[in-house]
Each structure stands twice: as structure tokens, then as C-alpha cells.
Amino acid sequence: MRILVSAGEASGDRYAAGVVSALRRALPDASYFGCGGPRMREAGVEAIVRTEDLSVVGLFEVLRHIPRIHGLYRKLVDAAARLRPDLAILTDAPDFHLRLASRLRDMGVPVAYYVAPQVWAWRRRRIGQIRRLVDHLLVIFPFEEEFFRRRGVEASFVGHPLSELAGISVDRDAFFAAQTLNPDDELVALLPGSRKGESLRHLPALEDAASRLVAEGVRQFVLPASATTGKTFFEAHWKGPPVRIVDRNAQNCVGHADVALVASGSATVEAAILGTPMVTFYKLAWPSYCVARMLVDVPHYSMVNLLAGKKVIREYIQHECTGTKLAGEAIRLLRREADRCRMIQDLARVRALLRTEAPASERAAQEVVDRFKLVQA
């Protein structure tokens, strides 16, 4: 049995790797190939295309990468035509994966889609496309199952994979010692994003915020680099006060921080699960932002706030993403104990919404086995 598995960005690589690991226990003789990052490759997926090579964000930023992305897409389609998988599991990245799903449909390959396109926020016309191309949708937010089912899409809530993936692996003393940090001083985590382009847009505001925090007496910062950026990228581009840059250690960095400054995205959900007070931000290139502003229809940008149904964490988007505002909110959370405790309680309620009895990866794998009647040959 051959299964095509594809993830278009770092978070999808983590989530898909968990499903592959769970499937290996149920289908030990199956083989896996597709588009994968380091975690999927570690899980045994043959990477015809690397996830790192697809990682681009922004409506207009993607345009100059279209020839390269199309070449990678063709490479993956050709591999599917040659290897004829029994099933495809596509994770997130709808611009890439819905196009791929169309070609797989033409080949007669059934498609499971993990992490639903956020059509409840924008581009609702995609619902018809999803209904036509996806055999079963595995959703990670509780409200999504009913949303899609009411619109004729087969969907199952499996829990959020970060509920099982997010957690500290060492205690505070061990972490501070390993990073040569002072356990008696406050620690601020800086998360500019998992992609190089978005990180470059966010670094000036984070550098300014760090400088302002130093003026307020904060002396320690940690910046975890994602697998798609790498430590050397930030070592070359960071121009703010001294910061401890570490490779692929975000959960310990955020989990042991007193406050985190987090680029909007799955990292905010991870910080919520870890229970760390935070402030979120995001900047797009201005043409992309102007188009997105016309298309997006949600009361909050952050998934944490959407799940909570209220503004739990402050959001500083586009022109509001400044060092002054980021530092001001960080100081509020560091100095006002009542505000800090209130946020921690709200984050705990969000965390409870995302958890299921079994880990999300196992539930997703079981749904795939059951829905597609997969049996070992």
C-alpha cells in the first residue's frame, strides 16, 4: 500500500508526521511519499518535494515564486502518476493542495484533507471546491465540524495536534542552565514567524520592542528559530539588544517564558496550550494586506481569540505592529499580576476546547483507516 502525504509549511510538517507515525502502527507495511519537511522525513516519508521549498506567505509575495512552486507541483503530480497511491493525505496549504487534489481526483486517488482551509474566515467559494475534491476532512477546531457538515462536506473533529505536541521537555532550572540564562530574571520569548519572509517583516518591530523592554529592566530574551528559518538566519539579521537564539526549541522557550511576543498563526495556539501570557502581531506586504482586509470576515485575527469568543490577547496587525505597542503590552503582562492571571485562566479554557480523549494524530489516523477502509495486504 502506498500513501501520498503532503504538507506545505512547518506546522503542517509536524502535524502530518504525527499522523504518519500513528498510521505506521496500524499499517506497518505501507509506504509513504510526497511533500515533507524534516519531521515527516524522520517519520519515514520519502520527500519527492521538500516542505521548506514551498514556504511562502502573502498574496503578492507568492507571485514571484510561481514558476518554482509550479515546478515542485509538477514533480509531485508526476510522482503520484508514476507510483499510483492508494490514498492521499493533504495537510493545510490550500492554494497548493486543492490544486493537487484536483489532479489526484482525475487519477482516481481518494483524498483525506487534514487541517481545513479556513473558509469560515475568507474565500467561502472554496467550499464547493472542497466538497467536490475532498473525500473526508479532518478538522482541528471544534466549531469546524458542524460548519462543514452543514455545507455538505464530510468532516470529523479530531482535536488539535498541538494538544499532544505542545509541552515542555525539561524543567525550568535545566532549561535556564542549558541556555545560560539567569533563573532569577524575567524571560521574554520572541517568535517572529516560521518563514524567512514574514520574519524579516517582523524583526524591526521586535528589535524596537526588545530595546524598549531593556529600558524597562527586562534583561533576557530568547528567540527560537523554526526548521524553515534556522538559527543562522536570525544570527545574520537580528540587530536588536542581545538575544539567545536557539534552534527548534520553541516549546521550551515559550513554556518557560514569562511573556511571549508571537506572530499570529499556529504559534499562538501553541502558546495558549502552554499557558504562556502573550501578545500577537502580524504584518503583510501592503498590497497583500489591502486585498486580505477586503476578503477576511472575522471579529478577531487570532485563533485564540476566535476560540475564546472574546479578545483574550492583544492583536497588533499591520500598521499597529510597532515596538512601542508590543513592548507596552508585554510590560502590562509582566507587571500587572491580575491581568496576567486573568489571561492564564482564559488560555486554560481555550486549551480545554482543543483537547480530545485520544491524541489528535491517533484520532486522525483512525479516521483515515476507518473511512477509507484501509487494510494491510
Side-chain angles (χ1 to χ4, degrees):
M1 179 183 298
R2 291 192 183 96
I3 299 177
L4 186 156
V5 188
S6 182
E9 56 186 34
S11 60
D13 177 46
R14 295 173 67 192
Y15 303 164
V19 176
V20 170
S21 296
L23 281 174
R24 281 195 172 283
R25 293 189 287 274
L27 306 168
D29 295 330
S31 62
Y32 303 84
F33 72 95
C35 175
R39 288 181 172 84
M40 287 172 63
R41 298 195 292 269
E42 289 170 9
V45 177
E46 179 190 355
I48 305 298
V49 171
R50 300 192 327 153
T51 294
E52 301 94 304
D53 297 331
L54 282 178
S55 195
V56 182
V57 69
L59 299 172
F60 290 92
E61 294 89 325
V62 170
L63 294 178
R64 63 189 178 92
H65 294 280
I66 284 178
R68 178 177 59 81
I69 293 173
H70 182 71
L72 296 172
Y73 163 78
R74 285 299 321 166
K75 188 176 181 181
L76 193 54
V77 168
D78 291 345
R82 184 177 71 255
L83 297 174
R84 291 289 171 177
D86 299 281
L87 172 72
I89 302 173
L90 312 181
T91 307
D92 210 355
D95 289 312
F96 185 82
H97 282 142
L98 289 178
R99 183 179 175 87
L100 178 60
S102 179
R103 294 304 303 272
L104 293 170
R105 171 67 68 187
D106 293 340
M107 297 178 199
V109 179
V111 173
Y113 203 111
Y114 188 33
V115 184
Q118 294 181 350
V119 293
W120 37 264
W122 72 314
R123 298 178 74 173
R124 288 205 177 194
R125 285 179 295 179
R126 276 183 167 170
I127 294 173
Q129 192 179 12
I130 295 168
R131 188 166 50 238
R132 186 174 71 254
L133 299 176
V134 175
D135 294 282
H136 199 77
L137 196 58
L138 304 166
V139 301
I140 63 173
F141 297 113
F143 64 85
E144 291 180 317
E145 182 176 299
E146 181 183 0
F147 175 89
F148 282 106
R149 285 187 173 184
R150 289 178 62 183
R151 290 159 178 82
V153 179
E154 287 294 323
S156 301
F157 172 59
V158 296
H160 201 294
L162 285 177
S163 292
E164 63 181 285
L165 294 173
I168 57 174
S169 60
V170 296
D171 64 29
R172 189 175 189 274
D173 289 341
F175 174 75
F176 273 67
Q179 302 302 331
T180 61
L181 297 167
N182 185 345
D184 297 324
D185 287 342
E186 296 166 320
L187 179 65
V188 174
L190 308 173
L191 284 80
S194 63
R195 307 174 186 88
K196 292 180 179 179
E198 66 183 349
S199 292
L200 287 174
R201 287 193 297 274
H202 296 147
L203 282 181
L206 286 179
E207 289 161 354
D208 185 37
S211 296
R212 294 175 184 276
L213 287 169
V214 168
E216 293 287 341
V218 178
R219 293 190 287 269
Q220 295 187 131
F221 302 91
V222 62
L223 192 161
S226 73
T228 50
T229 54
K231 180 179 179 180
T232 56
F233 171 81
F234 290 110
E235 288 174 338
H237 290 92
W238 178 260
K239 297 180 176 63
V243 59
R244 179 72 61 197
I245 301 172
V246 298
D247 251 329
R248 295 175 63 174
N249 200 8
Q251 292 171 21
N252 287 319
C253 291
V254 174
H256 291 303
D258 295 284
V259 69
L261 277 57
V262 188
S264 185
S266 61
T268 59
V269 177
E270 188 167 33
I273 291 170
L274 291 166
T276 302
M278 75 185 102
V279 52
T280 190
F281 56 87
Y282 209 84
K283 291 185 79 170
L284 284 166
W286 274 103
S288 294
Y289 173 71
C290 292
V291 172
R293 191 176 179 186
M294 292 186 290
L295 297 176
V296 175
D297 182 24
V298 287
H300 309 287
Y301 290 101
S302 166
M303 181 54 71
V304 173
N305 291 338
L306 287 171
L307 287 166
K310 63 179 182 178
K311 185 172 285 188
V312 172
I313 61 176
R314 297 278 177 87
E315 305 171 341
Y316 295 118
I317 307 300
Q318 208 62 14
H319 60 280
E320 290 193 325
C321 178
T322 66
T324 301
K325 291 193 173 183
L326 296 179
E329 176 63 3
I331 288 296
R332 181 180 75 88
L333 293 172
L334 288 170
R335 303 289 185 259
R336 296 186 185 178
E337 189 63 24
D339 292 352
R340 178 182 181 81
C341 289
R342 189 179 305 112
M343 181 178 287
I344 290 172
Q345 290 170 355
D346 286 336
L347 295 179
R349 284 189 278 271
V350 170
R351 180 167 64 247
L353 292 173
L354 300 175
R355 284 186 171 160
T356 51
E357 279 188 34
S361 60
E362 292 183 11
R363 284 176 60 102
Q366 193 60 53
E367 282 286 338
V368 167
V369 170
D370 292 345
R371 297 279 176 174
F372 296 96
K373 297 179 171 57
L374 301 182
V375 293
Q376 197 68 54

